[in-house]
Amino acid sequence: MKLSKLDYVVFGIATLCLLGVALAAIVSDPARQPIRVAYLYPAVSSPQNVWMAEIGNPDAQQQLTFSENGVYDFDFSPDGDWLAFGERNQAGIVNLRLMDMRSGRVTDLVDCVAQYAYCTTPVFSPDGSRLAYQRSESLNGSYGLSRIWLVDMTSGNYETAQLIADSRVVGHSPVWAANGNTIAFYSSDVREPGILIFDFIPRDGSDAQLRFIPSSHGAMGTISPNGQRIIFPEIARRGEQFFTHLRLADLRNKSFAAFTDPDGPVDDVNAQWNPNGLTVALARRYTDNRWTAGHQLYLRSANDADGALTPILFDPRYTTSYFRWNQTGDRLVMQRFPLASEDGADKRQRVPEIWTYDLKSGDASKIVENAFVPQWVGL
């Protein structure tokens, strides 16, 4: 059968469509996407803005925000398509803004200046449908204690409201559980300080949406992916000195236990639960003959009562206390601070550095100097 010109045209169009679909599949394959981190830069001068770099090509850095007065903090949506950030105005008040990473368009997320509020610490929910942030209201020209608010990212006008309607509930540093049902934050109420856990759908058949864990440390801690357990820092006094150890709260069993020894020769300042739910990374400094000037990074089982530690990033020339897992739990991004130069001498002009660590290969890579508070960009 002889093909007509129309047949050739149809065949050509179909071939191009198939090639386009194949190319799109290749380009959109997560395994082929560059792995990117973002951070605030510069750390020791102003204004600070959000920058981004690929971990395989750290020299190719890209500036994302161009704020004249500086960015306070930021977070990315889980898919990496949106960047929410707190931007200072000329008076130093922080507004919440939103950038579409595909187009670069920036809009107001919450016009806090117009609402006489000071808004910081945006944190996307695991599915990106909601965003939590902390907000302080203006009281006679000054700002009071912060409370946790939510933004509905699915609404056209980004509707916002308090997480808990009772204005007596104050807090900061919201953290989501990976299940999306639980959000925890530190309650800065001086009468009863501690961690508050809010469940959008009450657990275990009870009607209680809000639970309380007493803690005097002032830091939130880390929540397990299923929202059932929280590891949080607590103050320990040994002799005339104060140190930090980690405690574990099991919300399902309503029990508390030491996650690290409060009487041991350790100072454990931070922990982050791996998305696999099985392991925890923690920053520790020993205070006995294993002493180092700075905190080193270790890995331990979340369920092992013996608490055996595996050093994953140990270098006495550095201290590491801020670190975050990626969504797949095989890499860490961290802020490290140099304590000494290569020859061991004190380093006078020290600035924080951004590093990544590959759990499988054990490789650590420096991304940039003079930057802080790094985050992963999407997958």
Side-chain angles (χ1 to χ4, degrees):
M1 183 180 70
K2 186 177 181 180
L3 297 176
S4 67
K5 289 184 178 180
L6 179 60
D7 292 327
Y8 282 114
V9 171
V10 172
F11 179 76
I13 293 174
T15 302
L16 290 174
C17 289
L18 290 173
L19 288 173
V21 171
L23 181 61
I26 292 173
V27 171
S28 61
D29 183 359
R32 295 177 179 270
Q33 298 300 310
I35 302 173
R36 302 170 297 174
V37 296
Y39 41 84
L40 289 181
Y41 174 90
V44 296
S45 60
S46 59
Q48 286 98 20
N49 273 285
V50 182
W51 288 66
M52 181 175 66
E54 296 180 15
I55 66 171
N57 187 19
D59 293 332
Q61 299 175 45
Q62 178 185 357
Q63 185 173 351
L64 299 180
T65 64
F66 295 84
S67 172
E68 295 181 356
N69 300 296
V71 171
Y72 185 89
D73 50 15
F74 67 96
D75 191 37
F76 280 90
S77 61
D79 56 13
D81 288 344
W82 299 95
L83 165 63
F85 60 98
E87 181 180 27
R88 295 183 177 91
N89 68 2
Q90 292 181 343
I93 302 172
V94 180
N95 230 6
L96 283 187
R97 311 206 73 197
L98 185 69
M99 174 184 287
D100 185 336
M101 291 290 291
R102 295 157 294 191
S103 66
R105 182 170 176 263
V106 177
T107 57
D108 283 335
L109 181 58
V110 181
D111 191 352
C112 296
V113 173
Q115 299 180 35
Y116 302 100
Y118 189 99
C119 304
T120 65
T121 321
V123 185
F124 280 96
S125 65
D127 64 358
S129 65
R130 291 174 288 196
L131 178 138
Y133 67 100
Q134 58 188 59
R135 171 169 168 163
S136 303
E137 306 295 327
S138 177
L139 301 171
N140 299 321
S142 61
Y143 293 93
L145 294 173
S146 62
R147 295 168 177 81
I148 306 302
W149 285 59
L150 288 181
V151 178
D152 183 355
M153 301 300 296
T154 64
S155 64
N157 57 351
Y158 301 123
E159 296 176 359
T160 184
Q162 282 185 214
L163 171 67
I164 300 170
D166 188 345
S167 60
R168 293 173 297 178
V169 178
V170 297
H172 61 80
S173 307
V175 175
W176 292 89
N179 63 9
N181 182 58
T182 303
I183 186 170
F185 57 94
Y186 191 85
S187 171
S188 47
D189 188 337
V190 294
R191 298 167 300 178
E192 199 172 14
I195 296 169
L196 285 170
I197 304 98
F198 180 86
D199 293 315
F200 292 90
I201 300 175
R203 67 181 75 197
D204 302 330
S206 71
D207 295 328
Q209 283 187 283
L210 193 64
R211 305 188 183 202
F212 176 74
I213 299 174
S215 172
S216 58
H217 187 277
M220 166 51 226
T222 181
I223 186 167
S224 64
N226 63 9
Q228 297 287 0
R229 295 184 291 172
I230 292 179
I231 296 172
F232 60 98
E234 192 56 277
I235 298 172
R237 180 171 180 171
R238 297 197 291 271
E240 298 300 318
Q241 293 183 295
F242 292 91
F243 300 92
T244 302
H245 73 102
L246 300 173
R247 298 196 72 199
L248 174 66
D250 190 318
L251 303 178
R252 180 174 46 196
N253 299 325
K254 299 179 181 179
S255 63
F256 297 88
F259 189 69
T260 61
D261 187 359
D263 299 318
V266 298
D267 185 38
D268 300 328
V269 293
N270 191 15
Q272 290 295 319
W273 218 298
N274 189 295
N276 64 17
L278 303 176
T279 56
V280 174
L282 62 91
R284 164 172 290 188
R285 180 175 62 88
Y286 284 98
T287 59
D288 55 11
N289 58 358
R290 295 166 289 181
W291 179 88
T292 56
H295 291 82
Q296 309 300 319
L297 211 55
Y298 297 85
L299 191 70
R300 66 160 282 182
S301 168
N303 305 308
D304 184 4
D306 295 333
L309 297 184
T310 301
I312 57 176
L313 197 58
F314 189 96
D315 188 338
R317 299 170 302 173
Y318 281 90
T319 185
T320 304
S321 58
Y322 182 96
F323 46 95
R324 294 290 184 271
W325 292 101
N326 63 351
Q327 293 183 32
T328 53
D330 58 357
R331 285 185 173 92
L332 283 161
V333 65
M334 66 203 72
Q335 175 183 311
R336 305 180 75 192
F337 195 81
L339 301 175
S341 59
E342 293 291 337
D343 60 3
D346 287 342
K347 198 168 185 177
R348 294 183 179 274
Q349 295 183 341
R350 291 172 285 186
V351 294
E353 302 171 0
I354 305 304
W355 287 68
T356 60
Y357 178 82
D358 188 315
L359 197 63
K360 294 179 180 178
S361 67
D363 294 334
S365 302
K366 182 165 68 172
I367 304 299
V368 65
E369 295 183 356
N370 195 21
F372 62 114
V373 292
Q375 301 285 348
W376 293 101
V377 182
L379 295 175

